[in-house]
Amino acid sequence: MSERLHADAVRALHRLQAEGALRQVDADFAALLRERLHASPAVALAGALAMRAVAVGHSSVALGDIPRLLDALDTRVQLPDADDWRAALCADPRVAVDGDPRPGALLDFSRDRIALRRYARYEQALAERLSARAALVRDMPGDPAALRALLARLFARADAAASDTLDRQALAVAMALRRRLLLVTGGPGTGKTTTVARLLAASIEAARLRGEPLPRIALAAPTGRAAARLGEAIDGVLRADLAAGRIDGDIACRVPTQARTLHRLLGWLPGRVAFRHHAGHPLREDLVVVDEASMVDLPLMAKLVEAVPETATLVLIGDPDQLPAVEAGDVLGGLCAASGEGLSLPADDAAFATALLGTGVPVGAAAPLAGARVHLLHGWRQAGAAPLQALAGALQRGDRDAVLEALAAGDETVLSRRHGDVAALAEALRHEALPAFAAVRDADDPRQALALATRGRILTALRRGPFGAEHWNAWCAAELGGRTPYFHGRLLMIAANSERHGLYNGDLGVVWHDARGEAEVWFDTPQGLRAWRPAQLPAHASAYATTVHKAQGSEFERVLLVLPDADARVLSRELLYTALTRARRSVWVWGALDTLERALARRTWRESGLEARLRRPSASGECAVP
């Protein structure tokens, strides 16, 4: 290694530490590589940056994108020459290059991307398993005529003209009968949950037609609230379809309506990164459906796919325009990019679907996961929510003028925007938010209180500061309950998974005083309403205001979005879209026009090598392995 490269890497490390761009753990990792493993300063610098990248959501980072990473960290550092740096990484035994399994390697350098070895293994294992699963297809199950009749009944259209057009929900169900991997994507109100409910019913009926045992089905989501909402929504669809004669009672009673968190499904082991279910001890289910897939990070998705047996079908449901997972990796985004737009199918899949649906299906170009995605387009929201549907569409397109026009000209009972200082915000929330929270406190019983809790929520872009969730949670609690910490009617949210309690991050509870005046906290669990004493609970906090990230997987009648009065890097088009699509009926935004415009102009940036690995399953690199 040249003296210049050595000096440049040492100087960059010192500068990054001095400016606070590196956390202590990043600096410690660099010191471990240099002092204990005798790696070069260039490798130590790469290790520190790979560790730092994971903390801001990147599972890997391209060598050429490191200046962009530093810009996101608000620092400017002179980096080593890229060619010299690349050569140093390729030559060092502490770096696995292009899949070469060097013993003891802590870093990976593949496709000109730097990653912690553990995250590179997650990406590679996930890419290999998904590629293999996407290649598994089934022939026409059972009696084709009976299946055609089933799908026609499930998706009967009152409009005769519309019945001649392709029903993309029915197309997704048809593909679930053929493929072992299916992504069902779409924006708010496009019928993803309706599709899931009918997919489950069709899977049960298809097994009957084949004379096989009924499939064992698991429903899951990343958070407790998302899991509860999935179960509730499926139950609602089943009841409506049963009443309309689309399904019979025997099928309806066999479709599960209880969903679990992914941690509960996989068998979370306290204090360990492993789960009870894995490749050596897979899940027993034949069909696994995961909602809110955009929230699933790389390590969790890798462990999920590992635990689902090859003979089972994995269905991932999500909206690719939402914020990606808080932790590293934009997995759903990578899968969508590798599977195409989801608007057409390979010829064999299209022929299969056409035979079941009786409607022509577009045939599209090949992609690594071609045929594994069906994207839903049609909005099914009621007329009262049409302005929200239009707003969501404008946010997806990044149409600044349409977004601002909707917020300025819309019916104030559906869409409105205000702004001002913290004092003005407090006064506005006293009128706009507190009455709904007071109704929770004044409910007749815990069940009613938890139902009322979904009417409204304050969402924030930031966690801390005068416009952050922590500040407004404390303010709401003080306004509603004074200084009493566990006052009657206080809304709480669990902040840590607890297998022992059966409570998970995101679960919502309400404090209720019993006949003796003692506080209990009630939660709606899969086993029904259940109460704990406050001292028994895992980590928790008030739930009047939550960050947009924390609110993913939830839905409220009304969303009150609070944006900061100054620019923040967390502001993005995806954050606005995710926040405003949590609302079923109305949206109220607190934010200045320039803040909204900055958010609309910024896209969430997540680096990942998953798509590249899916496109090229075998590693191919930028340097020769010495």
Side-chain angles (χ1 to χ4, degrees):
M1 183 179 68
S2 70
E3 291 184 4
R4 178 178 177 181
L5 175 63
H6 182 104
D8 286 348
V10 169
R11 189 180 305 112
L13 267 173
H14 289 165
R15 179 78 179 273
L16 288 169
Q17 289 179 256
E19 293 191 0
L22 297 181
R23 303 165 302 161
Q24 187 59 49
V25 67
D26 307 323
D28 289 345
F29 184 54
L32 169 70
L33 287 166
R34 283 195 67 186
E35 296 168 12
R36 293 186 59 185
L37 301 181
H38 310 294
S40 67
V43 170
L45 174 62
L49 291 171
M51 181 80 80
R52 190 70 182 93
V54 167
V56 294
H58 309 299
S59 57
S60 62
V61 61
L63 200 64
D65 279 335
I66 288 179
R68 186 178 179 187
L69 173 64
L70 298 182
D71 182 60
L73 297 173
D74 290 320
T75 189
R76 300 286 189 276
V77 173
Q78 181 64 45
L79 294 168
D81 176 79
D83 290 335
D84 291 343
W85 200 359
R86 184 179 294 112
L89 291 168
C90 291
D92 198 293
R94 270 72 54 173
V95 182
V97 179
D98 297 336
D100 174 39
R102 296 178 178 178
L106 297 181
L107 295 178
D108 183 272
F109 188 56
S110 301
R111 302 173 177 85
D112 215 35
R113 305 181 72 84
I114 300 168
L116 297 178
R117 182 71 173 133
R118 179 161 63 98
Y119 282 84
R121 284 173 173 161
Y122 283 140
E123 282 188 350
Q124 188 62 33
L126 182 58
E128 290 174 357
R129 287 193 170 98
L130 288 174
S131 295
R133 183 176 291 277
L136 299 173
V137 296
R138 287 170 287 198
D139 294 329
M140 184 70 70
D143 179 1
L147 279 177
R148 281 196 295 271
L150 170 66
L151 292 177
R153 187 169 69 251
L154 283 173
F155 295 97
R157 305 280 286 276
D159 184 349
S163 65
D164 293 331
T165 62
L166 177 62
D167 188 321
R168 302 196 65 77
Q169 291 181 333
L171 177 61
V173 173
M175 284 298 96
L177 297 176
R178 175 169 170 81
R179 292 206 160 247
R180 299 292 188 189
L181 173 68
L182 179 66
L183 282 67
V184 180
T185 59
T190 51
K192 296 188 291 295
T193 307
T194 298
T195 303
V196 169
R198 294 176 180 172
L199 182 157
L200 300 178
S203 297
I204 292 170
E205 183 63 24
R208 281 181 169 181
L209 293 172
R210 291 192 298 265
E212 298 176 354
L214 299 186
R216 292 165 293 192
I217 299 170
L219 305 176
T223 68
R225 185 59 232 160
R229 191 164 65 83
L230 173 62
E232 293 162 1
I234 289 175
D235 183 63
V237 174
L238 291 175
R239 290 175 185 275
D241 281 354
L242 184 61
R246 295 190 182 95
I247 57 175
D248 60 40
D250 191 42
I251 292 289
C253 72
R254 295 178 186 276
V255 175
T257 57
Q258 292 291 334
R260 291 171 277 178
T261 64
L262 282 172
H263 284 78
R264 184 179 292 168
L265 173 69
L266 295 175
W268 182 62
L269 299 172
R272 298 178 59 185
V273 295
F275 289 97
R276 188 175 299 114
H277 292 287
H278 47 75
H281 180 49
L283 294 164
R284 298 180 60 196
E285 281 76 12
D286 306 298
L287 173 58
V288 177
V289 177
V290 179
D291 197 16
E292 298 291 350
S294 65
M295 298 170 62
V296 184
D297 59 42
L298 173 64
L300 186 55
M301 186 66 82
K303 291 167 187 175
L304 168 69
V305 173
E306 177 189 357
V308 177
E310 288 185 1
T311 54
T313 297
L314 174 62
V315 179
L316 303 175
I317 314 295
D319 184 346
D321 292 310
Q322 282 193 166
L323 282 167
V326 175
E327 305 299 332
D330 179 11
V331 178
L332 183 63
L335 297 184
C336 288
S339 57
E341 295 181 342
L343 303 179
S344 59
L345 293 174
D348 289 348
D349 292 293
F352 178 97
T354 298
L356 284 185
L357 304 178
T359 306
V361 177
V363 176
L369 300 182
R373 180 187 180 192
V374 175
H375 188 66
L376 306 180
L377 298 170
H378 184 75
W380 297 93
R381 289 268 176 96
Q382 295 180 348
L388 297 185
Q389 193 77 27
L391 177 62
L395 286 165
Q396 284 176 311
R397 300 189 304 273
D399 188 335
R400 167 196 172 277
D401 293 339
V403 170
L404 298 181
E405 181 181 344
L407 290 171
D411 180 349
E412 288 204 357
T413 62
V414 179
L415 287 172
S416 60
R417 182 190 67 84
R418 297 177 60 185
H419 73 281
D421 59 18
V422 174
L425 174 56
E427 188 59 29
L429 289 178
R430 186 170 283 109
H431 296 285
E432 300 289 345
L434 285 184
F437 298 144
V440 172
R441 180 194 60 196
D442 300 335
D444 294 335
D445 53 50
R447 184 183 301 278
Q448 185 186 57
L450 288 170
L452 290 171
T454 65
R455 285 189 174 179
R457 186 68 54 85
I458 301 168
L459 302 185
T460 65
L462 305 176
R463 186 157 63 96
R464 296 189 177 94
F467 292 89
E470 291 180 355
H471 175 87
W472 294 106
N473 262 326
W475 180 84
C476 288
E479 291 285 322
L480 293 164
R483 298 180 179 275
T484 306
Y486 292 98
F487 60 87
H488 184 84
R490 180 189 176 194
L491 285 175
L492 295 178
M493 183 176 288
I494 297 298
N497 295 323
S498 175
E499 184 76 17
R500 179 168 63 89
H501 294 84
L503 294 173
Y504 296 86
N505 189 3
D507 285 352
L508 185 70
V510 63
V511 177
W512 212 255
H513 290 179
D514 61 20
R516 295 175 296 177
E518 295 185 7
E520 295 178 319
V521 187
W522 289 83
F523 293 84
D524 192 359
T525 74
Q527 293 74 39
L529 280 179
R530 218 182 136 191
W532 284 265
R533 295 295 184 188
Q536 295 177 301
L537 295 178
H540 54 275
S542 290
Y544 300 106
T546 59
T547 62
V548 176
H549 270 104
K550 192 79 169 178
Q552 283 185 266
S554 297
E555 220 176 73
F556 312 100
E557 291 294 317
R558 190 175 193 221
V559 161
L560 300 97
L561 176 61
V562 174
L563 300 177
D565 61 349
D567 192 22
R569 289 193 177 273
V570 71
L571 294 176
S572 67
R573 187 199 303 178
E574 290 81 3
L575 181 134
L576 291 180
Y577 176 83
T578 302
L580 301 182
T581 54
R582 300 308 89 206
R584 286 191 291 259
R585 294 286 175 241
S586 69
V587 162
W588 182 91
V589 178
W590 186 273
L593 278 177
D594 59 345
T595 302
L596 279 167
E597 289 177 343
R598 282 193 293 267
L600 285 166
R602 182 182 289 131
R603 302 302 305 269
T604 299
W605 175 50
R606 286 293 179 86
E607 280 284 299
S608 167
L610 179 60
E611 181 190 350
R613 292 181 192 273
L614 287 165
R615 292 188 180 281
R616 293 184 293 169
S618 60
S620 59
E622 305 295 334
C623 57
V625 180

